[in-house]
Amino acid sequence: MISASPRFSPACIGAAALMAAMLTGCSNEGSGTVAVSVVGTPADFAKPLEKLPDPGAKLFLESTAQGLVAFDAGGEILPALAQRWIVEDDGRSYIFRLRRAFWPDGTRVTAKDVGRLLMARIEALRRLDPAGPLDAVRDVVAMTGEVIEIRLAAPRPYVLQMLAQPQMAILSRDGGTGPYRRALRGKALVLTPVERATNESGDELPVPDWQTRIVRAERAALAITRFQQGKSALVLGGRFADLPLLLPAGVDRDAVRIDPVQGLLGLAVTGTGTLLDDDGVRRAINMAIDRSQLPTMFPVGGWATTEQIVPGQIDLPGPPAAPDWTGLSLDDRRAQGQAIMKRWRSEHGDPPVLRVALPRGPGATLLFGLVRHDLRMIGLTVERVDMAADADLRLVDEVAAYDSALWYLGRIGCARKVHCSPQAEAQLQAASLAGSLDERMARVAQAEALMQAHNGYIALGAPVRWSLVARRLTGFMPSPRARHPLNHLFSSTN
């Protein structure tokens, strides 16, 4: 685990007022404004829906544009724009009563507004996740000015978990309904609560400094430095790519919090052509990776590598399929891979260089070195490219949105432009039309086995999510969803 000596130096103890905090960039350890850094870029705030699933975009949306429901830090569903709800018709009807809310321009939020925006979000999401929990949604109807109903053709688990995702945020062109209002000050966002205390006359009271958040999206190295200098109280959005920065920065072990997340961390085959369309070549690539080296590169307690797409049985009728080469030694796997590439060369000549898309950061550099070495062992050459570039192998690093095999298969399916199995896709389509939950999950299990055998995704392990947390944030909790609501940072407000 990460080990270093403590180096807290709370700078600017006297910065009590918001403007003073803005000018100095400091976070009072007692009761002042909470300065937050999220790993990312300012573009995460400017176009959050386009930048998902980047952590800055997620944080911006969950802070300023809540959906009907939300996750708390523990992964439980909370009311958000909806104050309460009921499920009727054996899970085919979800009825939500909206709380009193206003758009940034002061106009009242109505059920008609929410229904229209929500249906647009659902349709967009279904294009990327056609077999997911929202596949059966038939309509979103405004029943009254404050009540909407989501009607489904068939019951689906995990509907509420999907409605709590950042991409389901309800926002207009001018913004959302909170829990914070935003204002831009230079490169930082100032977030103040929408809900404010009032006096006996009904007048709003000034917002206490400790309820205000100053949020910056910046490189991990800068965020860590700001935290170490006492100029911020919280760093969010840490991933494996930046994990190696913590030790040389001298970060106190007690400040590092690791989220117990599940999801996908691996390489999706996104290239096509004679080389990658060959089933044997994709299998050889998957076999060649020495996953036993990864825990040394990323020393996170409890983190485990994997060779499987789905990490456990979850909602499958049985354990997920294992690769047919699981029991082989690394030497035997590489010998098979070498034989496959020898055959391919005899038929096609020298293979092209494979482009591997990875994020920036020392952890990604370490991973690229491993991939380059291991694929060279079977006769393949690779080059590293930016995540925005065309690539043959592309990193997938995402936390599961809901606890179902369907999320894992949908994230690396044909709709995501991953090299996919038509037979597996047919099974997923049949699952959407299944007449019972048992039949549906049996079809999903068949799809899972086909996708595992197709080798369109090279599983490496679970995602890594870390934060840096000052002692004053007594309400901060490690989250199985890697979600840390900024209005739940103090235990007295949770």
Side-chain angles (χ1 to χ4, degrees):
M1 196 54 200
I2 300 157
S3 176
S5 58
R7 276 200 196 171
F8 273 109
S9 57
C12 307
I13 294 176
L18 171 60
M19 187 55 67
M22 288 295 303
L23 292 173
T24 62
C26 299
S27 177
N28 189 311
E29 283 289 317
S31 59
T33 301
V34 180
V36 180
S37 294
V38 60
V39 178
T41 69
D44 294 335
F45 298 160
K47 298 181 178 180
L49 288 172
E50 296 178 17
K51 296 294 288 183
L52 288 172
D54 290 355
K58 284 186 175 183
L59 184 67
F60 179 87
L61 288 170
E62 71 181 13
S63 298
T64 65
Q66 60 200 330
L68 292 175
V69 294
F71 282 121
D72 67 8
E76 300 297 324
I77 296 293
L78 291 176
L81 190 54
Q83 59 181 326
R84 60 182 181 270
W85 59 89
I86 58 173
V87 183
E88 296 187 337
D89 193 17
D90 295 324
R92 293 179 176 86
S93 172
Y94 286 74
I95 299 174
F96 299 85
R97 176 169 289 279
L98 305 181
R99 63 176 177 80
R100 183 179 176 86
F102 298 88
W103 297 114
D105 64 4
T107 59
R108 179 78 181 268
V109 174
T110 67
K112 185 176 180 180
D113 295 332
V114 174
R116 173 177 51 82
L117 293 167
L118 188 60
M119 194 64 208
R121 293 276 180 272
I122 290 171
E123 289 173 349
L125 191 61
R126 285 195 298 208
R127 288 193 288 270
L128 295 176
D129 193 10
L134 302 179
D135 68 325
V137 173
R138 290 189 306 178
D139 203 359
V140 181
V141 180
M143 302 176 70
T144 71
E146 295 81 30
V147 177
I148 66 167
E149 179 186 15
I150 300 178
R151 298 173 179 170
L152 288 81
R156 289 288 185 263
Y158 316 114
V159 167
L160 291 176
Q161 286 87 338
M162 281 309 306
L163 293 176
Q165 297 303 312
Q167 56 265 47
M168 304 306 291
I170 304 300
L171 72 163
S172 68
R173 189 167 296 187
D174 296 325
T177 61
Y180 290 99
R181 288 277 184 258
R182 71 181 192 267
L184 189 63
R185 298 289 187 271
K187 294 183 179 180
L189 286 176
V190 179
L191 303 179
T192 53
V194 171
E195 301 288 343
R196 300 191 179 186
T198 58
N199 59 23
E200 294 180 356
S201 302
D203 299 323
E204 288 187 347
L205 297 174
V207 177
D209 286 346
W210 66 271
Q211 291 185 2
T212 300
R213 310 288 182 257
I214 300 175
V215 185
R216 296 175 177 84
E218 55 194 2
R219 293 180 294 108
L222 182 56
I224 294 169
T225 299
R226 194 186 301 278
F227 181 86
Q228 286 294 83
Q229 293 176 350
K231 296 179 180 179
S232 72
L234 181 64
V235 175
L236 296 174
R239 301 188 178 197
F240 87 97
D242 300 305
L243 191 66
L245 294 172
L246 297 179
L247 187 60
V251 174
D252 182 358
R253 178 198 301 239
D254 292 337
V256 181
R257 310 289 178 87
I258 305 295
D259 288 325
V261 297
Q262 291 293 331
L264 293 172
L265 177 64
L267 297 169
V269 180
T270 51
T272 57
T274 306
L275 181 66
L276 292 177
D277 288 346
D278 189 304
D279 292 344
V281 170
R282 294 194 309 277
R283 181 173 179 270
I285 291 172
N286 205 350
M287 286 192 295
I289 303 297
D290 183 8
R291 294 159 178 83
S292 69
Q293 299 300 312
L294 293 171
T296 303
M297 295 180 182
F298 311 115
V300 177
W303 186 76
T305 62
T306 186
E307 300 165 348
Q308 298 170 246
I309 299 171
V310 182
Q313 184 168 337
I314 314 180
D315 57 348
L316 292 171
D324 61 359
W325 43 266
T326 293
L328 299 178
S329 69
L330 181 61
D331 288 342
D332 288 342
R333 285 157 39 189
R334 285 179 173 168
Q336 286 194 25
Q338 291 163 1
I340 290 168
M341 291 311 305
K342 182 177 180 180
R343 183 263 305 165
W344 196 93
R345 272 193 171 82
S346 69
E347 297 174 0
H348 305 286
D350 289 338
V353 175
L354 293 177
R355 300 159 298 174
V356 182
L358 294 170
R360 297 177 182 178
T365 299
L366 291 172
L367 178 60
F368 177 71
L370 175 71
V371 171
R372 179 175 57 188
H373 171 271
D374 290 352
L375 295 191
R376 185 184 296 153
M377 296 293 290
I378 62 170
L380 286 169
T381 303
V382 301
E383 66 177 3
R384 181 176 178 176
V385 299
D386 187 77
M387 288 295 290
D390 292 336
D392 301 300
L393 302 175
R394 184 178 300 280
L395 185 79
V396 178
D397 181 10
E398 292 187 28
V399 174
Y402 53 96
D403 299 321
S404 170
L406 278 164
W407 179 84
Y408 292 83
L409 305 186
R411 179 55 190 84
I412 55 171
C414 297
R416 300 285 188 148
K417 296 183 170 49
V418 176
H419 203 297
C420 59
S421 161
Q423 294 82 6
E425 197 70 13
Q427 289 295 336
L428 288 176
Q429 292 174 2
S432 289
L433 302 174
S436 69
L437 181 59
D438 287 346
E439 180 189 352
R440 176 172 165 83
M441 295 319 298
R443 295 281 192 181
V444 172
Q446 294 177 48
E448 184 270 332
L450 288 166
M451 290 181 72
Q452 184 71 63
H454 185 74
N455 294 292
Y457 173 73
I458 301 162
L460 300 176
V464 175
R465 295 293 184 270
W466 57 266
S467 306
L468 301 181
V469 186
R471 293 183 181 92
R472 68 179 288 216
L473 303 184
T474 55
F476 184 94
M477 294 173 54
S479 169
R481 303 285 180 196
R483 303 286 286 276
H484 301 286
L486 296 183
N487 56 339
H488 284 213
L489 297 180
F490 295 94
S491 56
S492 59
T493 61
N494 284 354

